[in-house]
Amino acid sequence: MALKQGFEVKVTLTEVVAAVLPMQEHWLPLSNLDLLLPPVDVGVFFCYKNPSSAATTFGSMTSALKKALAQTLVSYYAFAGEMVQNPSGEPELLCNNRGVDFVEAFADIELRELDLYNPDESVEGKLVPQKEQGVLSVQATQLKCGGLVIGCTFDHRVADAYSANMFLVSWAEMAQSKPVTTLPSHRRSLLSSRRPGHFDISINDMYMKISQMPPPDKELNDHINNNQAPISRIYYVKAEQVHQLQSLANDDKRGSKKFVRTKLEAFTAFLWKLIAKGTDAGDKYCRLGIVVDGRTRLNDGDESMMNKYFGNVLSIPFGEKRNKELKEMNLSMIADEVHNFLDGAVTREHFLGLIDYVEAHRPEPAFSRIYGSKVTREEPAFVVSSGQQFPIRKIDFGWGVPVFGSYHFPWGAQSGFVMPMPCASGNGDWIVYMHLRQEQIEVIELNAPHVFRPFSHDYL
């Protein structure tokens, strides 16, 4: 079946869905970890086949989605608010039940014709909505075959992927009149700074104040605008390839297995080596960041509170190695490097120190160095965020489990972004979203086609 390179999406209805119960307007400050996020939006989308029941129409599905959304927003009221600026110039959440923009649309294309390998053409601005106002926007798109795509865009300063996943699962449970598994906690005191605050000097290597960001590089910007801007691609990776990478990453010099490196560490090490392979500048550095969730590190004996916490609890430690070194190292050695730079950031003290770091510099914003750093072809940089908790098989609104789902995050930084997620089949295969420079994509596809297979409908 040929893929459609272009198709029309027609908006048929736009409305605002607010929480079904009235609420007292109030201000919800962002936590210090929220304040580390730049003003970027994150997209996520789910594809559903044509429901087998003739009674399940597009109208009945959107009605169920909106009804359940209005009910879910009672607990997840942060998604129904607005981002405003407080007197100190910092962003703050106004919880006024402004509501969520909900768009209904029709796309002149069948599900099997969607080129999901190239989401810049098939998803961006078509199936995932552009957020104009508020904190969250939703779009339900009916396909020509009767299938459905649900796309959401949310403000990253309000929620990380963990929080968004909680919301999506609760929304689906509400649609099926099931008990909601997790009610969110907005208890900001869980992330309060210490008195007196203190942080390890290593945090200065990971984060920087906005005044430390390098000035715009006209030559670099011209190069990026000249068809060198990052592009998005979606691949699938077979489970046996993931296991093979982990096996190679756990080989020591004697050939024995130690199995102490995770699948994510092995995958990230493999990608780090591939990216370095794409440059001839052996004396330059290739930088790799990995997103770490701090919830399990901050439990402090009360695991349930942090597990329910709604907001951002992230850090992005990163490592750097010369391109030449990465090319010469085997996968086990690179996986050890990944593990070592992660080791200092997977502790309670790291996250407490990060909270204190932000407090020490407020109200001046701070950002991850790897997000704000200058990136060139000779000195590439990218971030890997694990989506292994992506709950795709739980996003059933009453007409079945999605056949496909992915985050979509062309985040606007010069550094790249990669997110591996479980596929909808639940068989151990991965879906991998990549937002990288075109020459990096070409290197990956040329050197590892057995691992990164362009996503196609045949896989479904």
Side-chain angles (χ1 to χ4, degrees):
M1 180 69 188
L3 300 177
K4 273 195 174 183
Q5 297 304 313
F7 59 93
E8 181 182 357
V9 177
K10 181 180 179 182
V11 174
T12 56
L13 180 66
T14 300
E15 59 183 301
V16 176
V17 177
V20 68
L21 296 178
M23 62 180 66
Q24 180 68 42
E25 180 175 298
H26 64 282
W27 297 82
L28 182 65
L30 300 189
S31 77
N32 282 10
L33 297 184
D34 292 328
L35 293 172
L36 284 172
L37 274 294
V40 293
D41 293 334
V42 183
V44 62
F45 66 100
F46 303 93
C47 303
Y48 300 84
K49 288 184 176 180
N50 187 0
S52 56
S53 171
T56 307
T57 64
F58 180 66
S60 66
M61 289 189 286
T62 55
S63 178
L65 286 170
K66 287 183 281 190
K67 179 181 177 182
L69 178 59
Q71 294 169 327
T72 309
L73 289 174
V74 173
S75 299
Y76 289 85
Y77 53 83
F79 271 152
E82 293 182 275
M83 191 68 76
V84 295
Q85 197 174 71
N86 67 20
S88 298
E90 295 177 324
E92 193 164 352
L93 196 59
L94 174 59
C95 300
N96 58 357
N97 200 22
R98 181 249 169 217
V100 171
D101 288 339
F102 193 104
V103 175
E104 296 180 27
F106 175 80
D108 184 27
I109 192 171
E110 297 186 15
L111 178 58
R112 60 180 178 168
E113 297 173 323
L114 276 176
D115 185 5
L116 294 174
Y117 161 67
N118 184 2
D120 290 337
E121 294 296 325
S122 61
V123 175
E124 177 72 17
K126 292 182 176 179
L127 303 178
V128 172
Q130 298 290 336
K131 183 176 67 62
E132 302 294 340
Q133 300 182 66
V135 174
L136 169 69
S137 295
V138 176
Q139 179 175 318
T141 306
Q142 181 185 23
L143 305 180
K144 190 166 62 174
C145 60
L148 175 72
V149 178
I150 299 174
C152 304
T153 302
F154 62 91
D155 191 323
H156 202 338
R157 294 172 296 177
V158 174
D160 55 15
Y162 183 101
S163 302
N165 292 343
M166 280 199 309
F167 163 77
L168 290 165
V169 171
S170 298
W171 185 15
E173 290 170 339
M174 194 70 75
Q176 293 200 66
S177 300
K178 293 181 178 180
V180 173
T181 303
T182 305
L183 292 176
S185 167
H186 299 87
R187 186 178 163 190
R188 296 297 192 244
S189 60
L190 292 172
L191 301 181
S192 294
S193 58
R194 295 172 291 190
R195 297 288 189 273
H198 58 91
F199 55 90
D200 190 85
I201 193 171
S202 62
I203 290 182
N204 284 317
D205 297 327
M206 298 182 197
Y207 289 86
M208 61 181 172
K209 298 179 293 181
I210 194 170
S211 58
Q212 296 174 310
M213 291 185 70
D217 187 324
K218 184 180 185 304
E219 182 178 346
L220 177 63
N221 288 338
D222 290 343
H223 179 64
I224 291 174
N225 292 332
N226 187 24
N227 298 320
Q228 294 299 324
I231 60 175
S232 296
R233 293 289 185 264
I234 294 178
Y235 302 89
Y236 70 93
V237 179
K238 302 293 286 184
E240 53 263 34
Q241 291 294 340
V242 177
H243 288 297
Q244 175 68 10
L245 291 177
Q246 187 180 27
S247 179
L248 291 171
N250 283 288
D251 271 338
D252 66 17
K253 294 179 180 178
R254 296 164 298 177
S256 63
K257 303 289 183 182
K258 49 186 178 177
F259 282 104
V260 293
R261 300 296 168 249
T262 65
K263 291 182 176 67
L264 182 67
E265 287 173 331
F267 169 86
T268 303
F270 181 69
L271 198 55
W272 200 4
K273 186 179 180 74
L274 279 177
I275 297 294
K277 196 171 185 177
T279 176
D280 297 327
D283 60 329
K284 300 293 185 179
Y285 286 93
C286 181
R287 295 178 176 86
L288 161 69
I290 299 182
V291 178
V292 176
D293 189 327
R295 285 173 173 80
T296 58
R297 285 86 190 181
L298 291 169
N299 278 329
D300 194 26
D302 191 352
E303 182 176 334
S304 63
M305 289 307 299
M306 283 309 304
N307 285 351
K308 295 186 293 186
Y309 181 81
F310 184 93
N312 287 281
V313 194
L314 306 175
S315 181
I316 311 181
F318 70 92
E320 58 181 16
K321 297 290 290 184
R322 294 188 188 277
N323 293 305
K324 181 181 179 181
E325 292 179 286
L326 289 168
K327 293 177 187 180
E328 295 173 348
M329 296 166 70
N330 63 36
L331 194 62
S332 176
M333 296 167 64
I334 300 176
D336 288 346
E337 290 286 336
V338 172
H339 181 81
N340 290 339
F341 80 71
L342 275 176
D343 197 45
V346 292
T347 66
R348 174 178 172 80
E349 181 57 36
H350 169 77
F351 280 90
L352 292 176
L354 188 54
I355 293 168
D356 291 345
Y357 169 86
V358 176
E359 189 68 21
H361 297 103
R362 290 178 65 179
E364 183 178 1
F367 299 103
S368 166
R369 282 189 180 272
I370 199 166
Y371 177 88
S373 63
K374 183 173 73 173
V375 178
T376 66
R377 185 184 185 281
E378 291 75 23
E379 291 196 309
F382 68 104
V383 172
V384 175
S385 178
S386 173
Q388 292 308 303
Q389 302 305 314
F390 189 48
I392 184 167
R393 295 185 62 80
K394 296 181 180 180
I395 314 302
D396 180 356
F397 293 96
W399 46 83
V401 172
V403 294
F404 181 83
S406 173
Y407 273 91
H408 179 62
F409 192 26
W411 65 347
Q414 293 178 10
S415 52
F417 179 82
V418 177
M419 178 178 263
M421 297 158 279
C423 74
S425 63
N427 63 356
D429 292 355
W430 284 8
I431 299 297
V432 180
Y433 170 83
M434 290 190 184
H435 184 68
L436 298 171
R437 296 163 70 95
Q438 184 165 342
E439 62 262 24
Q440 294 168 344
I441 293 289
E442 291 172 354
V443 167
I444 289 168
E445 293 186 350
L446 177 65
N447 290 278
H450 60 296
V451 176
F452 298 100
R453 308 183 187 195
F455 188 87
S456 70
H457 188 267
D458 292 340
Y459 177 76
L460 297 180

PDB file of all heavy atoms in Angstrom, residues 172-200:
ATOM      1  N   ALA A 172      -8.490   7.604  30.208  1.00  0.00           N
ATOM      2  CA  ALA A 172      -9.022   6.374  29.605  1.00  0.00           C
ATOM      3  C   ALA A 172      -9.860   5.590  30.599  1.00  0.00           C
ATOM      4  O   ALA A 172     -10.921   5.036  30.249  1.00  0.00           O
ATOM      5  CB  ALA A 172      -7.872   5.517  29.080  1.00  0.00           C
ATOM      6  N   GLU A 173      -9.416   5.524  31.845  1.00  0.00           N
ATOM      7  CA  GLU A 173     -10.197   4.820  32.870  1.00  0.00           C
ATOM      8  C   GLU A 173     -11.538   5.494  33.086  1.00  0.00           C
ATOM      9  O   GLU A 173     -12.582   4.830  33.214  1.00  0.00           O
ATOM     10  CB  GLU A 173      -9.401   4.767  34.177  1.00  0.00           C
ATOM     11  CG  GLU A 173      -8.194   3.841  34.116  1.00  0.00           C
ATOM     12  CD  GLU A 173      -7.288   3.971  35.328  1.00  0.00           C
ATOM     13  OE1 GLU A 173      -7.347   5.027  36.025  1.00  0.00           O
ATOM     14  OE2 GLU A 173      -6.519   3.034  35.590  1.00  0.00           O
ATOM     15  N   MET A 174     -11.536   6.820  33.108  1.00  0.00           N
ATOM     16  CA  MET A 174     -12.777   7.565  33.297  1.00  0.00           C
ATOM     17  C   MET A 174     -13.733   7.312  32.140  1.00  0.00           C
ATOM     18  O   MET A 174     -14.956   7.187  32.333  1.00  0.00           O
ATOM     19  CB  MET A 174     -12.453   9.051  33.416  1.00  0.00           C
ATOM     20  CG  MET A 174     -13.605   9.897  33.937  1.00  0.00           C
ATOM     21  SD  MET A 174     -13.976   9.606  35.689  1.00  0.00           S
ATOM     22  CE  MET A 174     -12.600  10.484  36.459  1.00  0.00           C
ATOM     23  N   ALA A 175     -13.204   7.224  30.922  1.00  0.00           N
ATOM     24  CA  ALA A 175     -14.050   6.990  29.748  1.00  0.00           C
ATOM     25  C   ALA A 175     -14.744   5.638  29.811  1.00  0.00           C
ATOM     26  O   ALA A 175     -15.834   5.460  29.254  1.00  0.00           O
ATOM     27  CB  ALA A 175     -13.211   7.090  28.482  1.00  0.00           C
ATOM     28  N   GLN A 176     -14.122   4.680  30.491  1.00  0.00           N
ATOM     29  CA  GLN A 176     -14.712   3.349  30.605  1.00  0.00           C
ATOM     30  C   GLN A 176     -15.416   3.143  31.947  1.00  0.00           C
ATOM     31  O   GLN A 176     -15.784   2.010  32.285  1.00  0.00           O
ATOM     32  CB  GLN A 176     -13.633   2.283  30.427  1.00  0.00           C
ATOM     33  CG  GLN A 176     -13.052   2.230  29.033  1.00  0.00           C
ATOM     34  CD  GLN A 176     -12.382   0.900  28.755  1.00  0.00           C
ATOM     35  OE1 GLN A 176     -13.043  -0.137  28.708  1.00  0.00           O
ATOM     36  NE2 GLN A 176     -11.075   0.921  28.579  1.00  0.00           N
ATOM     37  N   SER A 177     -15.595   4.232  32.688  1.00  0.00           N
ATOM     38  CA  SER A 177     -16.271   4.186  33.996  1.00  0.00           C
ATOM     39  C   SER A 177     -15.573   3.228  34.960  1.00  0.00           C
ATOM     40  O   SER A 177     -16.214   2.557  35.773  1.00  0.00           O
ATOM     41  CB  SER A 177     -17.744   3.784  33.834  1.00  0.00           C
ATOM     42  OG  SER A 177     -18.420   4.708  33.024  1.00  0.00           O
ATOM     43  N   LYS A 178     -14.255   3.181  34.861  1.00  0.00           N
ATOM     44  CA  LYS A 178     -13.459   2.371  35.773  1.00  0.00           C
ATOM     45  C   LYS A 178     -12.949   3.244  36.919  1.00  0.00           C
ATOM     46  O   LYS A 178     -12.838   4.464  36.775  1.00  0.00           O
ATOM     47  CB  LYS A 178     -12.264   1.755  35.035  1.00  0.00           C
ATOM     48  CG  LYS A 178     -12.616   0.718  33.989  1.00  0.00           C
ATOM     49  CD  LYS A 178     -11.346   0.170  33.347  1.00  0.00           C
ATOM     50  CE  LYS A 178     -11.644  -0.908  32.328  1.00  0.00           C
ATOM     51  NZ  LYS A 178     -10.400  -1.430  31.701  1.00  0.00           N
ATOM     52  N   PRO A 179     -12.637   2.633  38.051  1.00  0.00           N
ATOM     53  CA  PRO A 179     -12.011   3.417  39.129  1.00  0.00           C
ATOM     54  C   PRO A 179     -10.676   3.989  38.656  1.00  0.00           C
ATOM     55  O   PRO A 179      -9.902   3.297  37.987  1.00  0.00           O
ATOM     56  CB  PRO A 179     -11.795   2.378  40.247  1.00  0.00           C
ATOM     57  CG  PRO A 179     -12.725   1.259  39.926  1.00  0.00           C
ATOM     58  CD  PRO A 179     -12.855   1.219  38.436  1.00  0.00           C
ATOM     59  N   VAL A 180     -10.428   5.236  38.975  1.00  0.00           N
ATOM     60  CA  VAL A 180      -9.177   5.872  38.575  1.00  0.00           C
ATOM     61  C   VAL A 180      -8.044   5.334  39.447  1.00  0.00           C
ATOM     62  O   VAL A 180      -8.107   5.401  40.671  1.00  0.00           O
ATOM     63  CB  VAL A 180      -9.279   7.403  38.683  1.00  0.00           C
ATOM     64  CG1 VAL A 180      -7.930   8.052  38.428  1.00  0.00           C
ATOM     65  CG2 VAL A 180     -10.315   7.929  37.694  1.00  0.00           C
ATOM     66  N   THR A 181      -7.023   4.806  38.793  1.00  0.00           N
ATOM     67  CA  THR A 181      -5.928   4.150  39.507  1.00  0.00           C
ATOM     68  C   THR A 181      -5.116   5.130  40.339  1.00  0.00           C
ATOM     69  O   THR A 181      -4.774   4.860  41.492  1.00  0.00           O
ATOM     70  CB  THR A 181      -4.992   3.447  38.498  1.00  0.00           C
ATOM     71  OG1 THR A 181      -5.755   2.523  37.728  1.00  0.00           O
ATOM     72  CG2 THR A 181      -3.879   2.713  39.223  1.00  0.00           C
ATOM     73  N   THR A 182      -4.796   6.300  39.756  1.00  0.00           N
ATOM     74  CA  THR A 182      -3.905   7.246  40.428  1.00  0.00           C
ATOM     75  C   THR A 182      -4.491   8.651  40.401  1.00  0.00           C
ATOM     76  O   THR A 182      -4.733   9.203  39.327  1.00  0.00           O
ATOM     77  CB  THR A 182      -2.526   7.278  39.748  1.00  0.00           C
ATOM     78  OG1 THR A 182      -1.991   5.955  39.702  1.00  0.00           O
ATOM     79  CG2 THR A 182      -1.570   8.180  40.509  1.00  0.00           C
ATOM     80  N   LEU A 183      -4.716   9.207  41.577  1.00  0.00           N
ATOM     81  CA  LEU A 183      -5.117  10.607  41.689  1.00  0.00           C
ATOM     82  C   LEU A 183      -3.856  11.438  41.911  1.00  0.00           C
ATOM     83  O   LEU A 183      -3.036  11.111  42.771  1.00  0.00           O
ATOM     84  CB  LEU A 183      -6.098  10.807  42.841  1.00  0.00           C
ATOM     85  CG  LEU A 183      -7.474  10.160  42.647  1.00  0.00           C
ATOM     86  CD1 LEU A 183      -8.323  10.333  43.898  1.00  0.00           C
ATOM     87  CD2 LEU A 183      -8.183  10.758  41.443  1.00  0.00           C
ATOM     88  N   PRO A 184      -3.671  12.512  41.157  1.00  0.00           N
ATOM     89  CA  PRO A 184      -2.405  13.251  41.216  1.00  0.00           C
ATOM     90  C   PRO A 184      -2.251  14.046  42.507  1.00  0.00           C
ATOM     91  O   PRO A 184      -3.226  14.483  43.115  1.00  0.00           O
ATOM     92  CB  PRO A 184      -2.512  14.190  40.012  1.00  0.00           C
ATOM     93  CG  PRO A 184      -3.981  14.426  39.856  1.00  0.00           C
ATOM     94  CD  PRO A 184      -4.634  13.120  40.220  1.00  0.00           C
ATOM     95  N   SER A 185      -1.002  14.255  42.882  1.00  0.00           N
ATOM     96  CA  SER A 185      -0.667  15.128  44.000  1.00  0.00           C
ATOM     97  C   SER A 185       0.056  16.355  43.457  1.00  0.00           C
ATOM     98  O   SER A 185       1.014  16.226  42.691  1.00  0.00           O
ATOM     99  CB  SER A 185       0.235  14.398  45.001  1.00  0.00           C
ATOM    100  OG  SER A 185       0.814  15.314  45.922  1.00  0.00           O
ATOM    101  N   HIS A 186      -0.417  17.540  43.847  1.00  0.00           N
ATOM    102  CA  HIS A 186       0.225  18.792  43.443  1.00  0.00           C
ATOM    103  C   HIS A 186       0.964  19.425  44.631  1.00  0.00           C
ATOM    104  O   HIS A 186       1.148  20.635  44.693  1.00  0.00           O
ATOM    105  CB  HIS A 186      -0.822  19.781  42.917  1.00  0.00           C
ATOM    106  CG  HIS A 186      -1.562  19.277  41.710  1.00  0.00           C
ATOM    107  ND1 HIS A 186      -2.692  18.506  41.822  1.00  0.00           N
ATOM    108  CD2 HIS A 186      -1.336  19.432  40.389  1.00  0.00           C
ATOM    109  CE1 HIS A 186      -3.146  18.206  40.601  1.00  0.00           C
ATOM    110  NE2 HIS A 186      -2.336  18.758  39.724  1.00  0.00           N
ATOM    111  N   ARG A 187       1.396  18.589  45.546  1.00  0.00           N
ATOM    112  CA  ARG A 187       2.006  19.058  46.790  1.00  0.00           C
ATOM    113  C   ARG A 187       3.433  19.552  46.534  1.00  0.00           C
ATOM    114  O   ARG A 187       4.390  18.786  46.555  1.00  0.00           O
ATOM    115  CB  ARG A 187       2.000  17.913  47.807  1.00  0.00           C
ATOM    116  CG  ARG A 187       2.456  18.282  49.190  1.00  0.00           C
ATOM    117  CD  ARG A 187       2.342  17.055  50.087  1.00  0.00           C
ATOM    118  NE  ARG A 187       3.125  17.210  51.294  1.00  0.00           N
ATOM    119  CZ  ARG A 187       3.354  16.227  52.162  1.00  0.00           C
ATOM    120  NH1 ARG A 187       2.830  15.034  51.937  1.00  0.00           N
ATOM    121  NH2 ARG A 187       4.086  16.443  53.236  1.00  0.00           N
ATOM    122  N   ARG A 188       3.570  20.847  46.303  1.00  0.00           N
ATOM    123  CA  ARG A 188       4.864  21.420  45.958  1.00  0.00           C
ATOM    124  C   ARG A 188       5.878  21.343  47.100  1.00  0.00           C
ATOM    125  O   ARG A 188       7.087  21.398  46.860  1.00  0.00           O
ATOM    126  CB  ARG A 188       4.688  22.879  45.532  1.00  0.00           C
ATOM    127  CG  ARG A 188       3.859  23.075  44.275  1.00  0.00           C
ATOM    128  CD  ARG A 188       4.535  22.421  43.086  1.00  0.00           C
ATOM    129  NE  ARG A 188       3.931  22.816  41.827  1.00  0.00           N
ATOM    130  CZ  ARG A 188       3.314  21.982  40.998  1.00  0.00           C
ATOM    131  NH1 ARG A 188       3.205  20.690  41.324  1.00  0.00           N
ATOM    132  NH2 ARG A 188       2.808  22.413  39.857  1.00  0.00           N
ATOM    133  N   SER A 189       5.412  21.188  48.335  1.00  0.00           N
ATOM    134  CA  SER A 189       6.340  21.120  49.461  1.00  0.00           C
ATOM    135  C   SER A 189       7.228  19.874  49.389  1.00  0.00           C
ATOM    136  O   SER A 189       8.274  19.817  50.043  1.00  0.00           O
ATOM    137  CB  SER A 189       5.574  21.126  50.790  1.00  0.00           C
ATOM    138  OG  SER A 189       4.696  20.014  50.876  1.00  0.00           O
ATOM    139  N   LEU A 190       6.825  18.888  48.568  1.00  0.00           N
ATOM    140  CA  LEU A 190       7.666  17.704  48.384  1.00  0.00           C
ATOM    141  C   LEU A 190       8.990  18.057  47.718  1.00  0.00           C
ATOM    142  O   LEU A 190       9.968  17.320  47.831  1.00  0.00           O
ATOM    143  CB  LEU A 190       6.925  16.654  47.548  1.00  0.00           C
ATOM    144  CG  LEU A 190       5.708  16.000  48.202  1.00  0.00           C
ATOM    145  CD1 LEU A 190       4.964  15.136  47.190  1.00  0.00           C
ATOM    146  CD2 LEU A 190       6.136  15.150  49.401  1.00  0.00           C
ATOM    147  N   LEU A 191       8.998  19.190  47.014  1.00  0.00           N
ATOM    148  CA  LEU A 191      10.203  19.618  46.301  1.00  0.00           C
ATOM    149  C   LEU A 191      10.709  20.962  46.819  1.00  0.00           C
ATOM    150  O   LEU A 191      11.296  21.747  46.079  1.00  0.00           O
ATOM    151  CB  LEU A 191       9.929  19.704  44.794  1.00  0.00           C
ATOM    152  CG  LEU A 191       9.475  18.406  44.118  1.00  0.00           C
ATOM    153  CD1 LEU A 191       9.258  18.629  42.626  1.00  0.00           C
ATOM    154  CD2 LEU A 191      10.496  17.292  44.337  1.00  0.00           C
ATOM    155  N   SER A 192      10.487  21.229  48.088  1.00  0.00           N
ATOM    156  CA  SER A 192      10.955  22.484  48.673  1.00  0.00           C
ATOM    157  C   SER A 192      12.469  22.469  48.825  1.00  0.00           C
ATOM    158  O   SER A 192      13.089  21.421  49.040  1.00  0.00           O
ATOM    159  CB  SER A 192      10.319  22.708  50.049  1.00  0.00           C
ATOM    160  OG  SER A 192       8.924  22.901  49.932  1.00  0.00           O
ATOM    161  N   SER A 193      13.062  23.657  48.726  1.00  0.00           N
ATOM    162  CA  SER A 193      14.502  23.769  48.936  1.00  0.00           C
ATOM    163  C   SER A 193      14.826  23.650  50.423  1.00  0.00           C
ATOM    164  O   SER A 193      13.969  23.870  51.285  1.00  0.00           O
ATOM    165  CB  SER A 193      15.019  25.101  48.393  1.00  0.00           C
ATOM    166  OG  SER A 193      14.340  26.182  49.012  1.00  0.00           O
ATOM    167  N   ARG A 194      16.068  23.323  50.706  1.00  0.00           N
ATOM    168  CA  ARG A 194      16.491  23.171  52.092  1.00  0.00           C
ATOM    169  C   ARG A 194      16.946  24.509  52.666  1.00  0.00           C
ATOM    170  O   ARG A 194      17.255  25.436  51.933  1.00  0.00           O
ATOM    171  CB  ARG A 194      17.624  22.141  52.167  1.00  0.00           C
ATOM    172  CG  ARG A 194      17.194  20.739  51.760  1.00  0.00           C
ATOM    173  CD  ARG A 194      18.360  19.779  51.650  1.00  0.00           C
ATOM    174  NE  ARG A 194      19.246  20.086  50.523  1.00  0.00           N
ATOM    175  CZ  ARG A 194      20.222  19.281  50.104  1.00  0.00           C
ATOM    176  NH1 ARG A 194      20.431  18.129  50.713  1.00  0.00           N
ATOM    177  NH2 ARG A 194      20.993  19.642  49.077  1.00  0.00           N
ATOM    178  N   ARG A 195      16.977  24.594  53.980  1.00  0.00           N
ATOM    179  CA  ARG A 195      17.449  25.793  54.673  1.00  0.00           C
ATOM    180  C   ARG A 195      18.517  25.384  55.692  1.00  0.00           C
ATOM    181  O   ARG A 195      18.196  24.740  56.688  1.00  0.00           O
ATOM    182  CB  ARG A 195      16.285  26.506  55.400  1.00  0.00           C
ATOM    183  CG  ARG A 195      15.205  27.021  54.480  1.00  0.00           C
ATOM    184  CD  ARG A 195      15.708  28.240  53.689  1.00  0.00           C
ATOM    185  NE  ARG A 195      14.625  28.875  52.950  1.00  0.00           N
ATOM    186  CZ  ARG A 195      14.239  28.516  51.740  1.00  0.00           C
ATOM    187  NH1 ARG A 195      14.870  27.514  51.131  1.00  0.00           N
ATOM    188  NH2 ARG A 195      13.247  29.141  51.132  1.00  0.00           N
ATOM    189  N   PRO A 196      19.773  25.706  55.468  1.00  0.00           N
ATOM    190  CA  PRO A 196      20.280  26.382  54.271  1.00  0.00           C
ATOM    191  C   PRO A 196      20.446  25.396  53.119  1.00  0.00           C
ATOM    192  O   PRO A 196      20.618  24.195  53.326  1.00  0.00           O
ATOM    193  CB  PRO A 196      21.646  26.906  54.743  1.00  0.00           C
ATOM    194  CG  PRO A 196      22.093  25.892  55.759  1.00  0.00           C
ATOM    195  CD  PRO A 196      20.840  25.451  56.466  1.00  0.00           C
ATOM    196  N   GLY A 197      20.389  25.924  51.920  1.00  0.00           N
ATOM    197  CA  GLY A 197      20.553  25.079  50.750  1.00  0.00           C
ATOM    198  C   GLY A 197      22.016  24.848  50.414  1.00  0.00           C
ATOM    199  O   GLY A 197      22.873  25.648  50.765  1.00  0.00           O
ATOM    200  N   HIS A 198      22.277  23.756  49.751  1.00  0.00           N
ATOM    201  CA  HIS A 198      23.646  23.488  49.288  1.00  0.00           C
ATOM    202  C   HIS A 198      23.579  22.504  48.129  1.00  0.00           C
ATOM    203  O   HIS A 198      22.648  21.702  48.023  1.00  0.00           O
ATOM    204  CB  HIS A 198      24.523  22.939  50.422  1.00  0.00           C
ATOM    205  CG  HIS A 198      23.988  21.677  51.042  1.00  0.00           C
ATOM    206  ND1 HIS A 198      24.315  20.414  50.610  1.00  0.00           N
ATOM    207  CD2 HIS A 198      23.118  21.494  52.070  1.00  0.00           C
ATOM    208  CE1 HIS A 198      23.693  19.516  51.332  1.00  0.00           C
ATOM    209  NE2 HIS A 198      22.953  20.131  52.233  1.00  0.00           N
ATOM    210  N   PHE A 199      24.556  22.577  47.237  1.00  0.00           N
ATOM    211  CA  PHE A 199      24.577  21.672  46.094  1.00  0.00           C
ATOM    212  C   PHE A 199      26.011  21.394  45.689  1.00  0.00           C
ATOM    213  O   PHE A 199      26.910  22.216  45.912  1.00  0.00           O
ATOM    214  CB  PHE A 199      23.795  22.246  44.904  1.00  0.00           C
ATOM    215  CG  PHE A 199      24.231  23.616  44.461  1.00  0.00           C
ATOM    216  CD1 PHE A 199      25.229  23.780  43.503  1.00  0.00           C
ATOM    217  CD2 PHE A 199      23.626  24.755  44.997  1.00  0.00           C
ATOM    218  CE1 PHE A 199      25.627  25.043  43.096  1.00  0.00           C
ATOM    219  CE2 PHE A 199      24.018  26.031  44.589  1.00  0.00           C
ATOM    220  CZ  PHE A 199      25.025  26.176  43.640  1.00  0.00           C
ATOM    221  N   ASP A 200      26.209  20.218  45.119  1.00  0.00           N
ATOM    222  CA  ASP A 200      27.536  19.822  44.675  1.00  0.00           C
ATOM    223  C   ASP A 200      27.939  20.637  43.458  1.00  0.00           C
ATOM    224  O   ASP A 200      27.100  20.994  42.617  1.00  0.00           O
ATOM    225  CB  ASP A 200      27.540  18.325  44.330  1.00  0.00           C
ATOM    226  CG  ASP A 200      28.942  17.807  44.096  1.00  0.00           C
ATOM    227  OD1 ASP A 200      29.608  17.453  45.090  1.00  0.00           O
ATOM    228  OD2 ASP A 200      29.378  17.758  42.929  1.00  0.00           O
TER     229      ASP A 200
END
